[in-house]
Structures are given as structure tokens and as C-alpha cells.
């Protein structure tokens, strides 16, 4: 569960990052121009970016640490 009853296939995840770094912010901007963003925040503040194998990036309201705990359960 990545927020608001949305889920993702964990076998497709290659990274989960906080969105505070410039590098992640830059990757999100690039993905938006290529229409590879999946926004699951429902208008709330984005706290983490989930990078998928196919180049898509999912934006989540959960912090990266919380998502990693959920993935590793």
C-alpha cells in the first residue's frame, strides 16, 4: 500500500527515495515531461518517489522509510 488504497507490485520497484534531494527532484521533472509520473498523493504533499523498472516514478505521501518497512514486511 503506497497511500490512499493504492498499491504497487513490489517486484517492479528498483528504488524508494525521499524527494528532498536535487537529483530525485530532477528525475521527477524529467519523468513529468515524458509522462512517466504516477501521482498517488491525491493532492497532498509528496514525501517519497518510487522508481520502477520501466522508468515510471510513483509519487507517495508516505515517507521513504515507511514505504521500505511496508515493502520488507
Amino acid at each position: 500500500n503506497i497511500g490512499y488504497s493504492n498499491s504497487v507490485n513490489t517486484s517492479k520497484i528498483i528504488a524508494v527515495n525521499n524527494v528532498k534531494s536535487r537529483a530525485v527532484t530532477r528525475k521527477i521533472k524529467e519523468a513529468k515531461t515524458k509522462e512517466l509520473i504516477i501521482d498517488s498523493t491525491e493532492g497532498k504533499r509528496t514525501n517519497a518517489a518510487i522508481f520502477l523498472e520501466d522508468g515510471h516514478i510513483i509519487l507517495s505521501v508516505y515517507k521513504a522509510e515507511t514505504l521500505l518497512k511496508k515493502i520488507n514486511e
Side-chain angles (χ1 to χ4, degrees):
N1 184 339
I2 57 171
Y4 300 108
S5 300
N6 297 304
S7 59
V8 64
N9 183 348
T10 56
S11 68
K12 303 292 183 182
I13 296 173
I14 58 171
V16 178
N17 294 98
N18 288 318
V19 295
K20 294 180 181 179
S21 77
R22 288 185 194 173
V24 173
T25 304
R26 186 172 40 248
K27 288 288 188 188
I28 290 170
K29 286 181 182 178
E30 289 173 10
K32 282 183 181 178
T33 63
K34 296 177 183 176
E35 297 184 4
L36 293 173
I37 290 288
I38 301 169
D39 188 349
S40 68
T41 64
E42 294 194 9
K44 306 291 184 198
R45 182 172 182 252
T46 301
N47 287 307
I50 304 166
F51 293 82
L52 303 180
E53 290 176 341
D54 63 359
H56 283 85
I57 301 174
I58 301 173
L59 305 179
S60 176
V61 295
Y62 289 131
K63 293 182 179 181
E65 297 83 15
T66 303
L67 289 170
L68 290 171
K69 285 179 188 174
K70 289 175 174 259
I71 290 167
N72 292 324
E73 286 180 346

